[in-house]
Amino acid sequence: MRRLLLSSLTVAALVAPAAAEITVGTAQGEVTLPDAPRTVAVYDMAALDSLLALGVQPAGTIENVTVPALRAQVQDAARVGTLFEPDLEALAGLAPDLIVVGGRSSTQLAAVSQVAPAIDMTFGPDLLSDARARIDGYGAIFGKAGEAAELNASLDAQLAALREAAEGQGRALIVLTNGTRMSAYGKGSRFGWIFEAAGLEEAAPGLDHATHGQAITHEFIAEVNPDWLFVVDRGAAIGEDGQGAEATLRSALVEGTAAWTRGQVVYLDPGAAYISAGGYSAMSLLMGQLTDAFSAADPS
């Protein structure tokens, strides 16, 4: 009887279907994963944003989620370290089927891969394209392809509305404030997707593409005299005390620019712009802000 039972189990094992797998594109190339992981740990805030939008609830994430809308949705998730220092013991205790890193946490890919399969979902220079590709990838991994298609269709519609509202709106400058310091960003930079999305002309072509932007002064802003100023407050994004963006910008020189005098200084949502940009909700929020600002502009 025992021999018959073992034979039956052997036959069942031979004819049982192999575990499903899915191949997805990542920042490190294509990776093959087991289909539909049940327990996921997320170290990238753009990934967290898009996964939550798809209805995927992470079992673990970083200790300090500074984006309020995301923090409210992961209150019950286990804390498994920081962007730069994963807690491998806590991660192992969580026993995830998949770990997602990206951006600031991408350097920890090798470390977390000791615990479970991990993917690097960092964005490349084309944020708009990569954001949609990542959503499609998550949809494939978690069996939510239909939901991913809906999110991307929504982004495409919002992008079309933004481009229509921004047509003929002039020249723009993107400024990041960090306490009393300021940096400017142009096409090809971490915030360059805004120029591409809106189809705007740069007020200061040829800016340094460095991660931290090109350091600027009030005199610089006055000299380039943008029609639009898009402002990201880094201190507010990371929850740091200190001088806010408006106080940093305010001076007689900046107040004399076309952007300031026309009321065309837009303070972008700091968390969405600096922390979770590329995530579905962040991109939707930012494109909505931009579209509303252009739509409300005085055409004269």
Side-chain angles (χ1 to χ4, degrees):
M1 181 68 180
R2 177 180 171 81
R3 185 173 298 170
L4 178 61
L5 177 60
L6 289 173
S7 298
S8 298
L9 291 174
T10 301
V11 171
L14 290 172
V15 301
E21 293 183 334
I22 185 72
T23 299
V24 295
T26 77
Q28 307 297 327
E30 289 192 340
V31 175
T32 300
L33 300 166
D35 193 17
R38 291 175 295 178
T39 304
V40 59
V42 183
Y43 286 90
D44 177 62
M45 294 300 95
L48 181 64
D49 181 334
S50 291
L51 287 170
L52 289 169
L54 283 168
V56 176
Q57 191 66 38
T61 191
I62 63 171
E63 293 168 5
N64 186 22
V65 178
T66 59
V67 181
L70 300 182
R71 183 169 62 242
Q73 296 181 73
V74 294
Q75 292 179 355
D76 296 331
R79 292 325 196 231
V80 288
T82 69
L83 293 174
F84 305 105
E85 190 173 350
D87 183 337
L88 297 183
E89 185 175 348
L91 191 60
L94 186 66
D97 301 309
L98 177 66
I99 303 166
V100 182
V101 300
R104 297 168 179 84
S105 64
S106 61
T107 57
Q108 301 305 315
L109 179 65
V112 299
S113 293
Q114 300 174 70
V115 176
I119 51 175
D120 176 6
M121 301 302 263
T122 300
F123 299 114
D126 189 349
L127 182 69
L128 290 171
S129 176
D130 279 0
R132 295 193 289 268
R134 297 292 181 257
I135 290 171
D136 281 337
Y138 299 136
I141 292 169
F142 291 95
K144 291 180 175 287
E147 292 90 333
E150 290 178 5
L151 294 185
N152 277 333
S154 173
L155 288 179
D156 288 341
Q158 293 174 71
L159 181 60
L162 170 57
R163 286 177 174 161
E164 182 178 355
E167 187 174 358
Q169 292 276 9
R171 300 155 55 251
L173 182 69
I174 301 171
V175 174
L176 178 137
T177 66
N178 186 18
T180 59
R181 300 187 297 276
M182 300 183 295
S183 299
Y185 293 79
K187 291 182 178 179
S189 73
R190 66 186 301 172
F191 302 118
W193 69 268
I194 293 174
F195 291 105
E196 179 187 347
L200 289 172
E201 182 184 350
E202 293 178 280
L207 290 172
D208 190 341
H209 292 175
T211 300
H212 300 292
Q214 180 171 315
I216 60 168
T217 62
H218 294 109
E219 287 81 4
F220 176 88
I221 298 174
E223 183 179 343
V224 301
N225 191 26
D227 299 299
W228 290 88
L229 265 174
F230 301 122
V231 185
V232 180
D233 187 333
R234 179 184 180 276
I238 64 175
E240 205 171 64
D241 293 331
Q243 183 166 291
E246 184 174 357
T248 298
L249 279 172
R250 186 177 290 276
S251 72
L253 288 165
V254 176
E255 290 173 359
T257 62
W260 195 286
T261 57
R262 296 173 187 167
Q264 294 179 173
V265 180
V266 181
Y267 296 92
L268 299 174
D269 182 276
Y274 188 75
I275 301 295
S276 57
Y280 170 78
S281 298
M283 300 305 287
S284 182
L285 174 57
L286 294 170
M287 286 197 287
Q289 275 192 280
L290 293 166
T291 302
D292 289 347
F294 291 131
S295 298
D298 184 349
S300 62

